[in-house]
Amino acid sequence: MQITGIKSQVVSVPLVTTFRTALRTVDRIENVIVTILTDSDLVGFGSAAPVAVITGETAASITGAIEYIGDSISGMKIGSWENILQRLNSCIIGNMSAKAAVDMAVYDLVAKSLDIPLYQLLGGMSSDINTDITISIDTPEKMISESREKLASGFDILKIKVGGDPELDIRRLQLIQEAVGRQIRIRIDANQGWSAKEAVGVGRELERRGILIELMEQPVAASDFEGLRYVRDNVVFPVYADESLFSPGDALRLVKMNAVDGFNIKLMKCGGIYNAMKIAAIAEAAALPCMIGSMMECHISVAAAAHLAASRAVISRYDLDAPLFCSRNPASGGISYSGAQVCFADAAGLGIEEVTG
Ligand code: MG
């Protein structure tokens, strides 16, 4: 089976509630949906979500990069997918989300050609996927009512966005924990919003007040690896890299520096499943646990992340709630949700039947 072309379309999906982090506020998301065409009746689906403040990519840049990549891999054989993925990663530098969309569409096609779900191609189902649920940064009162509502609808792990004023962040977390109780797991994500000293101050104050958090994600600026290590060395809670971790090379540097306790892997940062598996392997060799996350993305690309997560033992934490913020699914089939659980379609590849737009 040969690749004959790539199509892309930009689909805009309104969110059901506004999403707010230390970096941005969004009401709708754009997804660049990719279809790889072949000389058979099989097609491969993928999707990219532009997040300019993190990856530097826009819908227009992703569309342009996909066209360029399409020309580079056209005519290649799906059966030699290592070659396709090597070409995909070497034909253009950067453009990681554009690469991720094409990468997952290639994997979708390989699994479809074997008539198996993608997770089976990658290693088989090693675990159920139960996602946390994100609480946007807001007033403590709004964050408490949002947390209560989510717990009532079946979630039991909260991912609390912080990274504003450290005093207010501590107050937010104290009030939320008092409201939801100590048995609820709380992850916090500062999205680079603190200095290293502020992060240590927050971590120590949370510890002093007996506020339990499972992990602290990306407390400091993406480029501040020394800062990550300083925070890791000075707070009791595990520190995870998100925006500091794009490539397998970043993963190696973070391991060498002993800078973090874990990785948050996202396909949009690393260029897709091919590179995500390399990061997961580095983490496993360094005995670091991984979380799988996503940007604000639709069901298509999060399905790819879920298939990867299901197949890798080292990925043991799941932050795959973004589709739950989308007012609609731009595709039929793929993943669905039952409370916190991500459910896979009983179908080959990513399980996506068609893109509905
Ligand atoms: Mg994050």
Side-chain angles (χ1 to χ4, degrees):
M1 190 198 317
Q2 252 182 332
I3 295 174
T4 54
I6 294 192
K7 284 192 312 190
S8 66
Q9 65 182 112
V10 180
V11 173
S12 179
V13 177
L15 300 183
V16 288
T17 52
T18 302
F19 180 70
R20 278 193 199 86
T21 75
L23 283 174
R24 61 188 192 131
T25 297
V26 275
D27 288 313
R28 67 171 44 238
I29 55 169
E30 285 181 317
N31 296 277
V32 184
I33 300 176
V34 165
T35 308
I36 297 186
L37 308 169
T38 69
D39 59 359
S40 78
D41 55 359
L42 296 179
V43 296
F45 295 117
S47 175
V51 183
V53 290
I54 296 176
T55 60
E57 294 173 86
T58 63
S61 78
I62 289 171
T63 303
I66 286 170
E67 194 181 328
Y68 184 87
I69 292 165
D71 289 343
S72 300
I73 63 172
S74 187
M76 295 187 82
K77 290 193 172 69
I78 288 297
S80 305
W81 38 292
E82 169 80 5
N83 290 346
I84 301 175
L85 295 166
Q86 290 275 328
R87 175 86 59 89
L88 164 63
N89 280 284
S90 62
C91 71
I92 185 169
I93 64 161
N95 295 286
M96 304 320 284
S97 303
K99 284 175 180 165
V102 178
D103 162 287
M104 68 185 73
V106 170
Y107 277 98
D108 184 34
L109 268 172
V110 175
K112 279 175 175 163
S113 72
L114 300 168
D115 199 24
I116 53 175
L118 178 54
Y119 65 78
Q120 270 184 32
L121 176 74
L122 300 176
M125 181 79 74
S126 80
S127 52
D128 285 343
I129 309 290
N130 286 294
T131 182
D132 58 24
I133 188 81
T134 302
I135 305 298
S136 283
I137 193 164
D138 212 318
T139 62
E141 295 70 29
K142 280 199 183 137
M143 292 174 81
I144 288 170
S145 67
E146 186 77 10
S147 299
R148 285 192 166 128
E149 192 186 304
K150 297 301 181 191
L151 295 173
S153 56
F155 296 91
D156 55 10
I157 309 171
L158 298 175
K159 181 166 175 182
I160 309 285
K161 292 291 189 182
V162 288
D165 166 21
E167 297 277 316
L168 177 57
D169 284 332
I170 293 165
R171 208 169 128 245
R172 286 179 170 116
L173 293 166
Q174 172 148 26
L175 291 171
I176 290 170
Q177 181 150 85
E178 282 169 7
V180 302
R182 296 164 70 88
Q183 73 283 3
I184 298 300
R185 285 156 71 187
I186 291 179
R187 300 168 179 166
I188 65 174
D189 186 358
N191 287 104
Q192 315 176 54
W194 296 321
S195 69
K197 283 191 173 175
E198 284 172 339
V200 169
V202 171
R204 288 187 171 166
E205 186 60 19
L206 294 177
E207 184 190 2
R208 193 185 70 76
R209 296 188 189 191
I211 300 167
L212 302 177
I213 60 166
E214 185 188 35
L215 59 92
M216 178 190 281
E217 193 176 307
Q218 198 64 43
V220 300
S223 60
D224 190 5
F225 283 32
E226 296 284 353
L228 278 177
R229 179 167 63 187
Y230 176 77
V231 179
R232 186 205 186 187
D233 287 347
N234 287 285
V235 302
V236 293
F237 307 113
V239 174
Y240 274 52
D242 181 4
E243 290 96 320
S244 293
L245 171 69
F246 271 59
S247 65
D250 293 333
L252 278 175
R253 268 181 70 211
L254 289 164
V255 165
K256 265 195 205 162
M257 288 179 63
N258 284 313
V260 291
D261 299 287
F263 293 157
N264 185 348
I265 300 175
K266 294 178 180 169
L267 300 182
M268 293 302 128
K269 294 183 298 178
C270 69
I273 293 167
Y274 188 62
N275 291 328
M277 289 200 293
K278 294 177 194 165
I279 294 172
I282 291 165
E284 197 162 11
L288 296 183
C290 294
M291 167 155 52
I292 187 106
S294 78
M295 304 295 181
M296 260 303 149
E297 298 169 31
C298 71
H299 299 64
I300 299 172
S301 50
V302 173
H307 277 264
L308 169 67
S311 72
R312 292 251 104 53
V314 71
I315 300 175
S316 53
R317 294 185 167 86
Y318 315 104
D319 176 29
L320 296 178
D321 59 339
L324 296 166
F325 287 81
C326 296
S327 58
R328 61 190 167 77
N329 181 353
S332 59
I335 51 164
S336 58
Y337 290 82
S338 170
Q341 195 179 359
V342 181
C343 309
F344 295 93
D346 183 18
L350 292 169
I352 292 160
E353 290 155 13
E354 62 172 335
V355 171
T356 47

